[in-house]
Amino acid sequence: MRFLPSTSSDGVREQLFTLGEIPGVLWTPDGGGAVTRPLVLLGHGGGRHKKDPEISALAHRLVTECGYAAVCVDVPAHGDRPEVEEYDRLAAENQARVEAGEELAPLIADFQALVARRTVPEWRAVLDAVRVLDHVGPGPVGYWGVSLGCGLGVPFVAAEPRVRAAVLGLGGAHASADAASRITVPVRFLIQWNDERVPREQSLSLYDALASEQKSLHANPGGHGELPPSELDDALSFFTRYLTG
Amino acid sequence: MRFLPSTSSDGVREQLFTLGEIPGVLWTPDGGGAVTRPLVLLGHGGGRHKKDPEISALAHRLVTECGYAAVCVDVPAHGDRPEVEEYDRLAAENQARVEAGEELAPLIADFQALVARRTVPEWRAVLDAVRVLDHVGPGPVGYWGVSLGCGLGVPFVAAEPRVRAAVLGLGGAHASADAASRITVPVRFLIQWNDERVPREQSLSLYDALASEQKSLHANPGGHGELPPSELDDALSFFTRYLTG
């Protein structure tokens, strides 16, 4: 794991790093010493990257309001990572299939399942590397990811026993229902009631498929990109309930 | 409006009253002077009454944690009110229809619509009477009611412009969709994912029918009677957001 020089602002220390080929960013309390603290892994959306404004804002709040560490890495073919020829080919094929009248949602889901075969082991390696740092430590882990961050997050949370609680959403059951049925930790699941990309029925089915005893569905009006700010406030309360103390 | 002698405990003053034929209870901060404060009208569930433990606990929290007033009155044929011959006859008829194979939910909905024709004017009169009291005053009004409290609450909130925010749920669209389409204030809508009395599809349709721009659906696993305590915490935050300041 190689770190660039860290920067600090508003009480948050930000460290860009690479772990092998994976570029990432770690946020921790500025001046926080060798204290074990909860860590939340953030999964960014499709076409976005590790320092997307939404991701960065949530990371800052997790650090300043909860005293947590937060980490996000670029998904393959996103941010600072090179294009992946196979993904480009599939994206072009999918585009053609949609134009020929096929439904978009199952194609997106299949694609996300393919990407998850790389991101699940990558993210587990990120947890290994970050949790041995003195200013993070082996504390409880949470996961937050919607849209692509849900498509990749469901198989990750299903595979990773260190994750104790997860916020997921804006994703459907097409490719994820099987992995969802292996998730047993508390989940907050977010739906946008007028989501133009994920059919409502598919979102409800993915919530239904989660095996967690503690799972709450929160739905709000609006399209795929219009998650209300109150759900970020709520995510902080959710993580505080399940990762702190 | 006639009051019985009030009692106080744990910082909460409780006043039983009758308004005409309607028995009710008003909770306010003990020792609270002539201060205008938000008022939440609570609608109790079927077969329950104005001092049901769930209602009483929520009222105490609204008073002690938010500084609000809370009021609940017995629905006709509940609590201290006499039986209503017409309701008894309908209940018996409905029982026979269910035994003959009819669906229960639409019959419950029709029945609640009938009861609402009495409770809507009654509850409006309760607001009139309570908001002129010195220790309540003409502040913003909220409504909380699930199950029967939703079936009666939807037409009440639709008809009553003094209500600024409402928590509703455990109810379906059969009889309420039309009134729901006239509700425009912020609504928190609660669904139990495994509700054995209200079909999930009907609950989702009622949420869908609400005309409010600000409406959040919260769903949790479990049956009709298993609303998790966290949704009461959440209701307090919801009212604080929309009735305070």
Side-chain angles (χ1 to χ4, degrees):
Chain A
M1 192 178 204
R2 297 177 54 182
F3 283 101
L4 288 179
S6 67
T7 59
S8 289
S9 72
D10 300 327
V12 181
R13 179 182 178 193
E14 182 178 302
Q15 297 175 280
L16 288 164
F17 66 82
T18 53
L19 178 70
E21 297 172 356
I22 314 164
V25 56
L26 173 66
W27 296 269
T28 50
D30 194 19
V35 176
T36 293
R37 59 184 84 251
L39 167 70
V40 178
L41 178 67
L42 307 170
H44 67 71
R48 310 290 184 91
H49 58 82
K50 63 187 175 305
K51 286 192 68 179
D52 188 69
E54 181 184 58
I55 292 292
S56 189
L58 180 55
H60 274 248
R61 293 190 63 183
L62 286 163
V63 169
T64 58
E65 296 178 38
C66 307
Y68 291 3
V71 66
C72 184
V73 299
D74 285 331
V75 170
H78 288 73
D80 295 325
R81 301 186 71 163
E83 291 183 9
V84 178
E85 206 182 314
E86 184 189 10
Y87 297 173
D88 287 344
R89 197 184 64 241
L90 275 170
E93 280 178 26
N94 285 345
Q95 183 63 29
R97 290 166 71 175
V98 168
E99 279 163 16
E102 274 193 60
E103 245 191 289
L104 177 62
L107 299 174
I108 291 178
D110 287 346
F111 184 75
Q112 291 181 350
L114 177 74
V115 179
R117 290 209 281 276
R118 281 185 66 177
T119 51
V120 169
E122 286 186 355
W123 293 359
R124 301 188 73 172
V126 169
L127 290 191
D128 292 342
V130 169
R131 292 170 85 244
V132 297
L133 298 171
D134 274 352
H135 58 308
V136 180
V141 176
Y143 178 80
W144 186 96
V146 297
S147 193
L148 175 63
C150 177
L152 305 180
V154 168
F156 170 68
V157 174
E160 179 46 72
R162 289 172 291 189
V163 173
R164 302 251 195 101
V167 177
L168 300 163
L170 312 185
H174 280 298
S176 301
D178 187 52
S181 73
R182 294 191 303 274
I183 292 179
T184 56
V185 296
V187 171
R188 171 74 25 99
F189 191 80
L190 305 176
I191 288 182
Q192 286 295 94
W193 200 246
N194 313 102
D195 196 319
E196 71 284 8
R197 297 186 59 179
V198 185
R200 188 184 299 162
E201 214 33 70
Q202 281 295 314
S203 293
L204 295 170
S205 293
L206 182 50
Y207 171 72
D208 200 44
L210 293 162
S212 312
E213 274 182 40
Q214 309 272 342
K215 58 175 183 177
S216 298
L217 182 161
H218 286 190
N220 292 280
H224 191 76
E226 299 178 311
L227 203 61
S230 58
E231 292 297 350
L232 293 187
D233 301 338
D234 195 86
L236 296 189
S237 307
F238 172 80
F239 284 128
T240 302
R241 186 181 314 156
Y242 292 110
L243 302 184
T244 302
Chain B
M1 191 178 205
R2 297 178 54 183
F3 283 101
L4 287 181
S6 67
T7 59
S8 290
S9 70
D10 300 327
V12 181
R13 178 182 179 195
E14 182 179 301
Q15 297 176 279
L16 287 164
F17 65 81
T18 52
L19 179 70
E21 298 171 357
I22 313 164
V25 56
L26 173 66
W27 296 270
T28 50
D30 193 21
V35 177
T36 293
R37 57 185 85 252
L39 167 68
V40 178
L41 177 67
L42 306 171
H44 66 71
R48 309 291 183 91
H49 58 82
K50 62 187 175 307
K51 286 192 68 179
D52 188 69
E54 182 184 58
I55 292 292
S56 190
L58 179 55
H60 274 247
R61 294 191 63 184
L62 286 163
V63 170
T64 57
E65 297 178 38
C66 306
Y68 291 3
V71 66
C72 184
V73 299
D74 287 329
V75 170
H78 288 72
D80 294 326
R81 301 186 71 163
E83 292 184 9
V84 178
E85 206 182 315
E86 184 188 10
Y87 298 173
D88 286 345
R89 196 184 64 242
L90 275 170
E93 280 178 27
N94 285 346
Q95 182 64 30
R97 289 165 71 174
V98 168
E99 279 163 16
E102 275 195 58
E103 246 191 289
L104 177 61
L107 299 175
I108 291 177
D110 287 347
F111 184 75
Q112 290 180 351
L114 176 75
V115 179
R117 290 209 280 276
R118 281 186 65 178
T119 51
V120 169
E122 286 186 357
W123 294 358
R124 300 188 75 171
V126 169
L127 291 191
D128 292 342
V130 169
R131 292 170 85 243
V132 297
L133 299 172
D134 275 352
H135 58 309
V136 178
V141 176
Y143 178 79
W144 186 97
V146 297
S147 193
L148 175 64
C150 177
L152 305 180
V154 168
F156 171 68
V157 174
E160 180 46 73
R162 289 172 290 188
V163 173
R164 302 251 195 103
V167 178
L168 300 163
L170 312 186
H174 280 299
S176 302
D178 187 52
S181 72
R182 295 192 303 274
I183 292 179
T184 55
V185 295
V187 172
R188 170 74 24 100
F189 191 80
L190 306 176
I191 288 182
Q192 286 296 95
W193 200 246
N194 313 102
D195 195 318
E196 71 284 7
R197 297 186 57 179
V198 186
R200 189 184 298 162
E201 213 34 70
Q202 280 296 313
S203 293
L204 295 170
S205 293
L206 183 49
Y207 170 73
D208 200 44
L210 294 162
S212 313
E213 275 182 39
Q214 308 272 343
K215 58 174 183 179
S216 298
L217 181 161
H218 285 190
N220 293 280
H224 192 76
E226 299 177 310
L227 203 61
S230 57
E231 291 297 351
L232 293 187
D233 301 339
D234 197 85
L236 295 189
S237 306
F238 172 81
F239 284 127
T240 301
R241 185 181 315 156
Y242 292 109
L243 301 184
T244 303

